[in-house]
Amino acid sequence: MNEGYAVFCDADRKFYDAPHRLAEDGDGPGRPYEAGRREAPAGWQRNRKGDWLAYRPLEGRLPAQGWKIHISACLDNAEKVLDQVWDYCVPRGIAFKFVPSRYLLHTRNAKYADRAGSGKFITVYPADDAQCKAIAEDLDMLLAGEPGPYILSDLRWGAGPVHVRYGSFTERHCRDEQGELRPAVEDASGRLVPDVRGPAFHVPSWVTLPDFLRPHAEARAATTTDGIPYTIERALHFSNGGGVYVGRDDRTGRRVVLKEGRPHAGLAADGADAVTRLERERDALEQLAGLSCTPEVLDWFALGDHRFLVLEYVEGRPLNSFFARRHPLIEEDPGDQALAAYTQWALRIHRLVEDAVAQVHARRVVFNDLHLFNIMVTDDESSVVLLDFEAAAPIEEGRRQVIANPGFVAPADRRGADIDRYALACLRLALFLPLTNLFAVDRAKAAHLADIVAENFPVDRAFLDEAVAEITRGHPSAEPARVPRADHLPLEPGPSAEPVRVPRADHLPLEPGPSAEPVRVPRADYLPLEPGPSAEPVRVPRADYLPLEPGDWPHSRDSMADAIRASARFGRDDRCLPGDIAQFATPVGGACFAHGAAGVLYALAETGCGSWPEAEEWLLRSVRRPASGSPLGFYDGLAGIAWTLDHLGHRAAAMDLLEVVLAEDWTDMGPDLHSGLAGIGLALDALAESTGESSLREAALDCSRLVARAAAADRGRPAGRAGLLHGASGAALLHLRLFERTGDPALLGLAADALHRDLDRCVRSAGGALQVDEGWRTMPYLGAGSAGIGMVLDDWLVHGDDERFTRARQEIVRAAQAKFYAQPGLFRGAAGMVLYLSRTAATGPGTSPADLARQIGVLSWHALPYEGHLAFPGEQMMRLSMDLATGTAGCLLALGAALDDAPVQLPFLPRVSPGRSRGPQS
């Protein structure tokens, strides 16, 4: 999971939105500091951009780059620090900016916020090195004793909240080695290069560290791990709160886990920093000492101002990792025996977790953060160990949840042990369908997921209904229903824990026999639901959850289009249609093809939903004067918007935008389809065809030549990303389409070479499915997986013969046969598989109408209602999305490709006809 998505959930209950858009009036969470409400002083200008509010004197010039000063602060002293810096900078005419509210400062310092930006509260811009030294000295004295988190990207000045870093003062951009647009600084030759902004202090190679900073650099280097009795072997995980490491005790050779706590950083919802949470974990685990289901505390020590908790190393695997190894729905047809075996395993694992939670509760501790990643299953699968007790609390305190996995976030009314009971209920469903992130949008989805689980697994419906009742307790859409009697529970609770027998791992999926090991069932008051002597009325959601099924075309088309239109907000400048958080990463994020209005309008037009003048006018207005730093690519930038505008009939505006693209230097651009030259070239080629402008065709051929040159230069280097959007398949698509225009056989050869490079990155599963190997996982998807490669293979094989391509195409079809996909999106989920299967020219198993219908049905597993219409969640499934790449518009396009009578297609990938001519297109 990408933890960065969580912070985009606060400003809107249904859609991802920028944190700074949280209401800033009244006494709400976004209320600005008093300084943030001030008008600009006389002779100054005031400018708000994203999380920052800047004040700058109108007179005086700043350098484009140099040493700048960052001030950190804690939540409780931030306003005091800000007032002191304001009073220092304004009389002296020193430009500065700051994070204008407690809420935004909290989000920047939260546990899973961007580590490179963590801690930064105020930025001060000196005119030169001499002024930097003077300001740093003054502010260090002025703010002496004020606590603040260490800023990882900077050099700390002494021991206070003042930090220094070399970087850009003005907004300039360049492309990195992968062709991605990055903030830029000038190197010694005057060339723009990326302004490195990672979680470590960095001095550019052409910059000399000033003498006044050397003592601080030496002090930083003086802190090492040499004095501790542990050798750190590897890092398991990093967050703003610190790292988690595997190491060995030098005295005993014993393997251990070291958890680091950074003071004032890694904040939880209640404001507790990483050190406070580490102390909570230590205290809880000491109270739980001796339990086999929790790790033992071995040591506690300080290194500098950081704290370390040393824990017993637990052998095993986290529960989430078992889905890739064991879950039957990742196969096309798992069969009844595999489904039954998995069901027995899942029920047994749940009983083990339930028992572990009961043992924790019996020691008067609430875990407060139970989820798939925090449950370690031992190697023999006979027991579980609960990990990560930093959110734990005494049971009698009845605290609210302050840290949670998105799929296990308890409702606001749950306190104390009820939080763990809610998580255990979510676990019942997640063990079969790990889609509980959807509850962040609508808890009523639980009943729908339970129906799907019951249809696919031989699990007692009572086991699921109890979970649904607990999850939806208090939900406004619930209907009265009856919970089964206690004798229908998966375990029979008694007045106290009773011994029962469960099979050992080596007996699954067999029935328990005399060799089963005795364990203890938790008492009734530890179960997720409290059973009574007879059925009691509770509220569970209605069965008719979705307004209609995705396969009910064209009614589903109209419903998705209505959902998209209902979500529009034309008064906003950054976006008019909600989508992925990438909308907020660039100036045209809300307009671009992947995540913005352009892609949505294309999907609506392509599926016959008619025109939408208001949205088209918004799109035209948003790119009338493209801002500096606007990407040029097809899916993320101006080329894709220009192509869409021409597709919608706005040729003059499209050509104006193309002039901007053509005027830019393409030297450092990547070769890919998403952001680079392949996408730009395809757009130029298509516009040359529609407009008759021969210069655009020549520019498209220039793109092809640059892409081929980059591929030649990369031979022998480590392979980069693979797939349609970011790999060589996008380049192959450009060469192939230009071959069809020109008939030049060299272009067909370049396309073949590119496809071979992507196939070199693929591996076969045990079942013969071909997927992209990313080193730590394999990917079947349309954007970065094998399905996208398969689409271009289909098109190449219309024009040529290649035994490897023919074999790979059939193996890629197998990769599109799973019954379960973690997300619904076009490029990273089930919708992409629907689109791929709807257009592939492959024949044989997996390509029948029934196979396609099954994948269309899978889309309903992720679907949610919005304003009474059919909609889909975006990436990470914590909010709805209407965009093409991750949300409803992409699902609409995929379903249209599969079900509409018209030839619905992804740009530049028309439906393949086996009889298509192999000659050039006229």
Side-chain angles (χ1 to χ4, degrees), residues 524-555:
D525 58 348
Y526 293 122
L527 288 173
L529 294 176
E530 181 72 27
S534 61
E536 295 292 334
V538 297
R539 300 185 69 81
V540 297
R542 296 187 302 273
D544 55 342
Y545 176 71
L546 294 177
L548 73 174
E549 289 295 313
D552 185 9
W553 194 268
H555 302 103

Side-chain angles (χ1 to χ4, degrees), residues 103 107 118 157 238 242 247 372 489 568 703 709 758 793 890:
Y103 166 75
T107 62
S118 175
W157 188 284
F238 285 107
L372 295 167
L489 289 171
C703 287
R709 188 181 306 164
D758 263 3
L793 284 175

Side-chain angles (χ1 to χ4, degrees), residues 14 16 437-438 441 445 822-825 859 861-864 871-883 886-888 891:
K14 292 293 184 181
Y16 293 121
N437 278 23
L438 295 170
V441 183
K445 180 70 176 179
Q823 301 190 119
L859 274 175
W861 296 8
H862 306 84
L864 294 160
F872 289 88
E875 193 80 5
Q876 308 299 317
M877 299 190 301
M878 292 185 281
R879 290 293 184 267
L880 295 172
S881 170
M882 298 301 168
D883 72 25
T886 71
T888 306
C891 295

